[in-house]
Amino acid sequence: MLFKKSRLKKVIEDIGEVGTLLWQKGWAERNAGNVSVDVTEIMAGMVISEQKKKKIVFKIPDEILADRFYLVTATGARLRDTKKFPEENILLVMIDKKLDGYYILNYTDSQRPSTSEFISHLLIYAFLLRNNRKERAILHTHPNHIIALTHIKKYANEKKFNKLIWSIHPEVKVVIPEGAGFVPYRCPGTEELGNETIKRLKNHRIVIWEKHGCVAVGKDLLEAFDLIDTINKSAELFFICKSAGFEPEGLSDRQIKGLIKNFNLRSHV
Ligand code: 2HA
Ligand code: ZN
């Protein structure tokens, strides 16, 4: 079984672990969210069984993706099931060099194609490769407090959103000094959403999708998860204060400057 090979197995386990965390957080209702990992290096030299190979027609957005391998959640997959039933919910895919589709390499009759956000994942991978970025994992989820914050007009733009999340919890500035990118609402699953996302990834590792969720990149899925978790905590603290009837004071500009100086903060991208 392909999924039993040791380095691939570790990535499958990561997907199961993150799927479980997202479910426990309440960020992965039904089939919400999706993840993928570039496993091209791991797959180098591995023998592929022809019997299980199934081609799915799909417009591949960039030739740099030709012949690359990804582990990606299937459309309709419940993230909470990825740990218990990896074979049904996670696809190992290889991009056809003709750029007209991809092969599922662990195909079974009950298998569904890749996530509805696959076009965004592929646009992001092409962007990462073309810009020599080190990240090889993508996580999209629906974090409650982040989404709630994007429904408040006052905070629904990049500048105000970051100012708020940095000021509510010092850890956010320390972990994400460059802040989050912010994409105004676009229809889920569209190429437009993917293209707007990669514009923001030039200077960010996490991009908020207004009234929908967010997407983060990392060297692995756990690193991407931590970025989202850190920002969501800040948004949650904001709502805790508000729900208790208080306006949170937030860190002053001087206190933020103190963090930058003391932690010698500079952007991670
Ligand atoms: O995977 O979250 O954005 C389902 C979604 C679409
Ligand atoms: Zn979504």
Side-chain angles (χ1 to χ4, degrees):
M1 265 289 107
L2 270 170
F3 279 19
K4 298 264 160 46
K5 305 261 189 238
S6 63
R7 282 179 68 207
L8 211 52
K9 190 166 164 244
K10 162 79 179 79
V11 183
I12 309 272
E13 282 166 7
D14 274 4
I15 295 175
E17 185 181 342
V18 163
T20 307
L21 284 171
L22 295 172
W23 168 248
Q24 286 165 348
K25 285 270 179 193
W27 300 348
E29 73 281 4
R30 197 171 172 264
N31 63 326
N34 33 76
V35 306
S36 66
V37 181
D38 182 335
V39 291
T40 309
E41 255 181 65
I42 298 177
M43 292 302 293
M46 243 187 230
V47 182
I48 308 297
S49 149
E50 286 297 319
Q51 287 145 6
K52 293 208 160 187
K53 217 159 132 181
K54 157 108 175 163
K55 181 150 177 185
I56 305 287
V57 175
F58 193 90
K59 188 189 123 201
I60 304 299
D62 191 318
E63 66 194 17
I64 201 166
L65 302 171
D67 285 334
R68 296 196 70 88
F69 293 84
Y70 299 95
L71 281 171
V72 58
T73 42
T75 191
R78 292 188 179 99
L79 283 182
R80 66 177 188 258
D81 287 342
T82 52
K83 190 179 175 120
K84 249 204 287 185
F85 308 111
E87 295 275 357
E88 286 89 333
N89 294 292
I90 306 167
L91 312 177
L92 176 60
V93 306
M94 184 181 92
I95 306 299
D96 193 325
K97 59 163 90 47
K98 294 206 275 307
L99 305 182
D100 59 354
Y102 60 86
Y103 292 97
I104 298 177
L105 303 180
N106 58 329
Y107 184 73
T108 59
D109 284 341
S110 59
Q111 198 77 275
R112 281 162 299 184
S114 58
T115 164
S116 60
E117 299 289 2
F118 199 39
I119 185 64
S120 273
H121 287 242
L122 291 179
L123 284 164
I124 293 171
Y125 283 121
F127 168 85
L128 295 173
L129 287 169
R130 292 208 173 274
N131 290 280
N132 292 318
R133 289 267 293 261
K134 60 188 183 316
E135 296 95 340
R136 290 290 177 266
I138 300 174
L139 166 46
H140 162 58
T141 187
H142 298 169
N144 300 340
H145 302 85
I146 289 177
I147 299 172
L149 200 53
T150 72
H151 279 277
I152 302 175
K153 204 152 188 65
K154 186 174 164 192
Y155 299 111
N157 66 73
E158 196 162 300
K159 201 164 169 216
K160 292 273 171 56
F161 183 93
N162 283 308
K163 195 167 167 24
L164 181 77
I165 55 157
W166 282 329
S167 84
I168 295 289
H169 189 39
E171 197 68 12
V172 183
K173 187 71 192 170
V174 174
V175 175
I176 309 156
E178 72 276 15
F182 194 99
V183 176
Y185 183 79
R186 294 288 188 282
C187 188
T190 59
E191 196 163 345
E192 194 190 3
L193 176 59
N195 281 321
E196 290 299 321
T197 303
I198 56 176
K199 282 188 208 159
R200 274 79 176 178
L201 280 176
K202 284 190 184 96
N203 300 312
H204 302 97
R205 294 167 290 159
I206 170 166
V207 177
I208 309 300
W209 289 350
E210 185 186 15
K211 299 175 187 169
H212 176 173
C214 67
V215 64
V217 296
K219 70 173 181 354
D220 56 34
L221 286 172
L222 275 304
E223 192 175 89
F225 173 85
D226 284 340
L227 298 174
I228 302 171
D229 192 28
T230 305
I231 290 185
N232 193 74
K233 176 160 184 136
S234 194
E236 184 172 8
L237 289 169
F238 168 77
F239 286 113
I240 289 172
C241 294
K242 287 288 218 185
S243 310
F246 296 99
E247 194 58 40
E249 187 171 272
L251 301 174
S252 66
D253 288 347
R254 224 173 127 206
Q255 287 167 330
I256 300 264
K257 281 194 185 119
L259 285 172
I260 297 171
K261 189 160 173 271
N262 279 300
F263 286 88
N264 192 20
L265 297 179
R266 55 197 166 75
S267 166
H268 288 257
V269 272

